[in-house]
Amino acid sequence: MVEGAVTIAVFDVNIAGNSTANVMSYLQDEMQPDTDAMAPLTLGDLDLTTDEFILDEVDIHIQANLEDDLVKEALKTGVDLRHYSKQVEGELQRIEQASIKDYIKESQNIASLHNQITACDSILERMEGMLSGFQSDLSSISSEIQTLQQQSVSMSVRLKNRQAVHSHLSQLVDELVVPGAMIQVIVDSPVTEQEFLEQLHELNNKINFAKELSFRETLACSDIQDIVDHLKIKAVTKIREFILQKIYSFRKPMTNYQIPQNTLLKYSFFYQFLLANERTVAKEIRDVYVDTMSKIYYSYFKSYSGRLLKVQYEEVADKDDLMGVEDTAKKGFFSKPSLKSRNTIFTLGQRGAVLSPAELEGPILIPHTAQRGDCRYPYETLFRSQHYALLDNGCREFLFLSDFFMVAGNSALDLFNSVMGKTLSLFLKSMSTYVSDCYDSIAVFLCIHIILRFRAITTKRAIPALDKYWEAVLELLWPRFELILEMNIQSICNTDPQKLGVLDTRPHYITRRYAEFSSAIVSINQTFTSERTHTLLGQLQVEVENFVLKMAAEFPSRRDQLIFLINNYDMMLNVLMERAADDSKEVEGFQQLLQARSQEFIEEILSSPFGGMIAFVKASEALIEKGQLDRLKNDEAQITQLIRGFTSTWKQSVEALSQDVMRSFTNFKNGTGIIQGALTQLIQYYHGFHKVLSQPTFRSLAVRSELINLHHLMVEVKKHKPNF
């Protein structure tokens, strides 16, 4: 339809009937054209004189119409607007008539639609009533739900309160009730049964709970107090008998007390129960145990120490077995061979193996087994065995006392001293007796280091029980070791070389004693270094060096003095290097002494066959430095004699020198080094001789042609180098 043609009111509520005539009449009235509205506007209708007319609005209206597509089309084609207007009006009327016919044709459907809408309105009205009822019902249900929720919260609070009260009351009742099974087990079952231990824990809890209730003055406590007291007395009695029986079993001969100790540790709660509920019985058990174990340890270690002394070496050092005592000193009729025993005293040998980890913590010696095998041991081996047994038993005992008697800190140490005090005093007394008459410094020093290592073991095991004992033993051993060392130092200082027998350039037995002893002490002292030991060894070394110089002074010739010094220095150095570190003070000191005396000896042995040439070279070099070489112009005869003498005799001289050196020194390696040094020095002197003769002053000498070529001399000298 054309826009703006008609206005149709289809669902007018004023339509009273459903007849077709009424509908048609209504449609015709509605669709009559508004002639007033549709009348064309002319210029005469416009009042141009009125103020209400605004030309701008007219322009806008005209412009809007010109914008219309139909108007644009009409203007373009040049159509007459009046004619075109009538044509349009006719079209509108035809369309109107067609539209009325369409409405009349659909009048039945429109009436049916109206009836359906009316029916739907009634249905919706009924549904609205039903939903209103539902809404009121839901409102009442919501209020009921809120009421139920409040009741549920209230019931939940009451339930929690009742549960809390029930838990406290049930626990209280459970703690108060003494089951018949507990009474039967405590009264009838052996204490070694597992159920007895379990019921004892329960009984202990009930006793503690009853004590707590009695403080609160709970009336229910009085109902069970008698039963709990009777059960406690019965349990204490059975536990006391059991523990005392185990302790008394320690006293049986040949009993391994560690087995019943392990059994007691398994039932350590028994003592805890006694300590908490019957302290007098607990104290009785503790006193009986301390008394029993104190006697057992004292008896065992006293017997063991006595038996160990029976397998000690019969020959021991005495006050005359000192480093500076001469082997020719006369002793009593029953004296032991001096040289053999003294060499043993100052030599470490295999004695140092006692400090190795394998032997230090190895099995202890069995005296009767050693006696059957006729075995004998040095004192330090017996000392190691004795104190390792003490360490092992002491650590076990301290741990047992701490665990079973539930002590720690100073209380544990006091209890340990109560058990082991007599034994430790026995050991200290025995040590004091031995030390007062001991002159074996290596044995004492080994004992010191055994104690130092055992102290490190107990520290690693966190067992402080024996710390004071270790310190007491060291306070006995250190002063004695220092005293023996000072006695040896003094003995060397007081030695009279003229009383030591026939002079010999070979190493002296006193220096060998020193070398063996010093290397032993240095090697032992490497793990636990002691400055006191280094200081004393330094004093001993000074006295030995002085002794060697005094002995060397007894030889008439400087050559023999040097041979004696070199042999002794070399021997001491080799012995020290076998055990001590290469950078130790002792090794460095003797290396310097040996090098200095060896160089002096080389000069000494070269001076005899080649002294003239050496003196000439030294004098010439001094004059060359001063620029006075012309003073030797008149020495042509001497130079000729030196050249021809060297050329004719050097081979024999070198051979004789080599043989003499090898006969003079006991150490072939040292002799070889000295020969090599001598030959090297000889070549250097001969090279200097060549340089002097090459100076302008001596170039005209005819005898220079007889000089041996230096390279040829070096080749020939190498042939005389000994190989060992």
Side-chain angles (χ1 to χ4, degrees):
M1 288 183 190
V2 179
E3 182 180 0
V6 293
T7 301
I8 304 172
V10 180
F11 301 107
D12 191 348
V13 296
N14 294 323
I15 297 176
N18 296 328
S19 63
T20 304
N22 294 332
V23 173
M24 292 296 297
S25 176
Y26 173 77
L27 291 175
Q28 290 178 355
D29 293 338
E30 287 296 323
M31 297 187 68
Q32 287 294 328
D34 188 356
T35 56
D36 294 334
M38 296 181 60
L41 184 63
T42 62
L43 292 174
D45 294 330
L46 297 175
D47 188 0
L48 298 176
T49 61
T50 60
D51 295 334
E52 296 177 357
F53 184 80
I54 301 174
L55 292 178
D56 293 339
E57 292 181 358
V58 174
D59 291 339
I60 293 172
H61 182 71
I62 292 172
Q63 187 65 32
N65 289 331
L66 290 175
E67 294 277 337
D68 187 81
D69 294 336
L70 292 175
V71 176
K72 287 181 179 181
E73 183 68 23
L75 291 174
K76 287 181 180 180
T77 55
V79 179
D80 186 1
L81 293 178
R82 292 180 181 180
H83 176 72
Y84 182 72
S85 174
K86 290 179 180 181
Q87 183 181 352
V88 170
E89 183 179 354
E91 288 292 335
L92 288 176
Q93 289 178 356
R94 286 193 299 274
I95 291 170
E96 179 182 359
Q97 293 297 325
S99 176
I100 292 172
K101 290 179 181 180
D102 289 339
Y103 279 107
I104 293 172
K105 185 179 179 180
E106 296 294 333
S107 61
Q108 293 293 334
N109 293 333
I110 292 172
S112 175
L113 178 61
H114 178 73
N115 293 333
Q116 291 176 4
I117 291 174
T118 303
C120 287
D121 285 341
S122 63
I123 292 172
L124 290 174
E125 185 177 0
R126 289 196 301 272
M127 289 182 66
E128 182 179 3
M130 292 174 62
L131 291 175
S132 298
F134 289 157
Q135 184 177 9
S136 62
D137 293 340
L138 289 174
S139 299
S140 62
I141 290 173
S142 176
S143 62
E144 291 177 0
I145 289 174
Q146 291 179 355
T147 303
L148 291 174
Q149 186 177 9
Q150 293 174 357
Q151 292 176 357
S152 175
V153 172
S154 177
M155 292 175 66
S156 176
V157 172
R158 290 197 298 270
L159 177 61
K160 289 182 179 179
N161 292 336
R162 290 179 181 180
Q163 288 177 345
V165 173
H166 178 269
S167 63
H168 288 292
L169 287 177
S170 62
Q171 182 179 359
L172 177 63
V173 172
D174 291 341
E175 295 291 344
L176 287 174
V177 172
V178 181
M182 176 186 290
I183 298 174
Q184 183 179 359
V185 171
I186 295 296
V187 174
D188 298 331
S189 296
V191 296
T192 55
E193 295 291 336
Q194 180 64 26
E195 58 180 356
F196 180 86
L197 185 60
E198 294 174 356
Q199 293 299 331
L200 188 65
H201 279 278
E202 292 296 328
L203 177 60
N204 188 55
N205 292 335
K206 292 186 181 299
I207 292 173
N208 294 333
F209 190 70
K211 291 178 181 179
E212 182 180 351
L213 291 181
S214 64
F215 291 137
R216 300 178 184 177
E217 298 181 355
T218 305
L219 297 178
C221 179
S222 59
D223 295 338
I224 64 166
Q225 191 65 50
D226 292 340
I227 299 175
V228 171
D229 290 341
H230 283 87
L231 287 177
K232 181 181 72 173
I233 294 171
K234 183 64 177 178
V236 168
T237 303
K238 294 177 71 174
I239 291 172
R240 175 182 177 276
E241 292 176 356
F242 171 76
I243 296 178
L244 289 178
Q245 182 183 2
K246 289 296 179 184
I247 295 174
Y248 292 149
S249 67
F250 297 170
R251 302 177 180 180
K252 296 179 181 179
M254 306 300 292
T255 299
N256 184 358
Y257 58 86
Q258 294 178 0
I259 296 176
Q261 273 187 339
N262 293 334
T263 304
L264 288 177
L265 283 177
K266 183 180 178 182
Y267 300 103
S268 59
F269 181 72
F270 288 171
Y271 185 80
Q272 181 180 349
F273 180 83
L274 294 177
L275 193 63
N277 299 288
E278 199 63 47
R279 288 187 173 272
T280 56
V281 177
K283 184 178 183 303
E284 177 192 4
I285 289 176
R286 177 169 167 170
D287 292 342
V288 170
Y289 178 84
V290 169
D291 180 68
T292 300
M293 292 307 298
S294 177
K295 292 178 180 178
I296 289 174
Y297 281 125
Y298 181 81
S299 176
Y300 167 73
F301 280 106
K302 182 179 181 181
S303 174
Y304 182 68
S305 300
R307 292 178 181 178
L308 280 179
L309 292 177
K310 294 180 180 180
V311 296
Q312 184 182 0
Y313 281 134
E314 294 180 357
E315 293 183 357
V316 294
D318 57 27
K319 61 182 179 179
D320 294 324
D321 292 317
L322 298 174
M323 195 176 297
V325 175
E326 61 274 14
D327 284 331
T328 57
K330 295 183 179 180
K331 303 181 72 176
F333 179 75
F334 297 101
S335 299
K336 56 188 178 297
S338 299
L339 181 61
K340 181 179 179 180
S341 64
R342 286 185 186 133
N343 285 341
T344 303
I345 292 170
F346 301 108
T347 303
L348 183 62
Q350 297 300 319
R351 298 172 70 181
V354 73
L355 297 178
S356 64
E359 190 167 337
L360 188 68
E361 300 184 54
I364 63 174
L365 293 177
I366 309 300
H368 60 271
T369 303
Q371 284 180 320
R372 284 201 301 265
D374 197 22
C375 298
R376 291 292 183 268
Y377 300 95
Y379 179 77
E380 63 272 7
T381 302
L382 309 182
F383 181 87
R384 196 282 315 175
S385 181
Q386 182 186 39
H387 280 80
Y388 187 69
L390 175 65
L391 181 147
D392 189 50
N393 285 274
C395 290
R396 285 177 177 271
E397 187 63 29
F398 182 79
L399 293 175
F400 174 81
L401 294 174
S402 300
D403 293 340
F404 186 77
F405 292 104
M406 297 179 300
V407 290
N410 292 330
S411 299
L413 295 177
D414 293 341
L415 184 59
F416 178 82
N417 290 330
S418 299
V419 175
M420 300 292 293
K422 291 177 63 177
T423 302
L424 298 180
S425 298
L426 172 69
F427 272 38
L428 291 175
K429 183 178 180 180
S430 174
M431 283 293 303
S432 178
T433 303
Y434 168 78
V435 165
S436 63
D437 195 35
C438 176
Y439 295 91
D440 188 352
S441 54
I442 291 181
V444 175
F445 199 60
L446 285 171
C447 291
I448 290 173
H449 278 263
I450 288 171
I451 294 298
L452 292 175
R453 284 162 172 77
F454 282 167
R455 184 173 64 179
I457 291 173
T458 55
T459 301
K460 184 178 180 180
R461 295 181 183 179
I463 305 295
L466 293 171
D467 289 351
K468 290 185 178 180
Y469 174 75
W470 301 139
E471 295 299 329
V473 174
L474 291 175
E475 288 177 0
L476 285 174
L477 295 177
W478 271 118
R480 188 63 188 182
F481 172 74
E482 293 172 357
L483 176 62
I484 299 173
L485 204 52
E486 290 172 356
M487 293 173 64
N488 281 284
I489 294 172
Q490 192 63 36
S491 69
I492 294 176
C493 182
N494 297 335
T495 300
D496 185 359
Q498 296 181 354
K499 297 181 179 179
L500 297 180
V502 181
L503 292 176
D504 192 347
T505 57
R506 291 175 297 179
H508 199 272
Y509 59 83
I510 290 181
T511 58
R512 179 170 291 278
R513 290 176 187 173
Y514 162 76
E516 295 287 350
F517 176 78
S518 181
S519 64
I521 299 300
V522 170
S523 63
I524 295 171
N525 198 48
Q526 287 177 351
T527 305
F528 292 89
T529 305
S530 170
E531 291 300 325
R532 292 189 294 180
T533 304
H534 283 305
T535 302
L536 291 172
L537 285 180
Q539 297 176 6
L540 179 61
Q541 181 178 352
V542 170
E543 293 300 331
V544 170
E545 291 174 2
N546 293 335
F547 165 76
V548 172
L549 293 175
K550 287 192 296 183
M551 287 296 300
E554 296 294 318
F555 290 92
S557 66
R558 182 57 182 168
R559 178 179 178 279
D560 290 339
Q561 292 177 359
L562 292 173
I563 292 173
F564 178 80
L565 291 173
I566 292 172
N567 277 330
N568 280 274
Y569 291 153
D570 178 63
M571 181 273 298
M572 290 188 286
L573 181 61
N574 287 330
V575 174
L576 283 170
M577 292 181 66
E578 288 179 2
R579 297 184 179 274
D582 293 342
D583 58 349
S584 64
K585 295 180 180 179
E586 293 79 9
V587 171
E588 291 179 353
F590 284 114
Q591 282 177 338
Q592 294 174 1
L593 291 172
L594 177 62
Q595 185 177 2
R597 298 289 81 78
S598 297
Q599 189 63 35
E600 184 180 353
F601 179 75
I602 288 172
E603 297 290 338
E604 182 71 22
I605 60 176
L606 289 176
S607 64
S608 178
F610 308 108
M613 183 189 68
I614 294 172
F616 176 79
V617 170
K618 289 181 178 180
S620 299
E621 289 177 348
L623 291 175
I624 290 174
E625 290 181 359
K626 297 178 181 179
Q628 302 174 357
L629 190 61
D630 294 339
R631 294 173 56 183
L632 298 177
K633 285 183 178 181
N634 300 325
D635 292 342
E636 182 179 351
Q638 179 185 2
I639 294 173
T640 302
Q641 182 182 359
L642 290 176
I643 293 175
R644 291 175 179 174
F646 181 86
T647 303
S648 61
T649 62
W650 76 268
K651 289 185 178 180
Q652 296 84 350
S653 299
V654 168
E655 184 67 27
L657 180 148
S658 299
Q659 294 177 1
D660 184 37
V661 169
M662 297 310 299
R663 286 194 302 267
S664 300
F665 298 102
T666 56
N667 184 355
F668 287 163
K669 184 178 180 181
N670 183 44
T672 301
I674 291 176
I675 292 174
Q676 185 175 356
L679 296 178
T680 302
Q681 189 67 32
L682 175 62
I683 291 174
Q684 290 179 353
Y685 280 133
Y686 197 70
H687 177 63
F689 190 53
H690 267 264
K691 289 177 65 178
V692 171
L693 295 181
S694 64
Q695 296 295 321
T697 305
F698 304 111
R699 285 178 183 175
S700 60
L701 295 178
V703 74
R704 290 183 66 250
S705 61
E706 298 181 19
L707 285 171
I708 301 174
N709 183 272
L710 187 62
H711 179 71
H712 176 71
L713 179 64
M714 293 174 63
V715 173
E716 291 296 326
V717 164
K718 287 183 179 180
K719 296 179 182 179
H720 294 273
K721 178 182 177 182
N723 297 315
F724 293 100

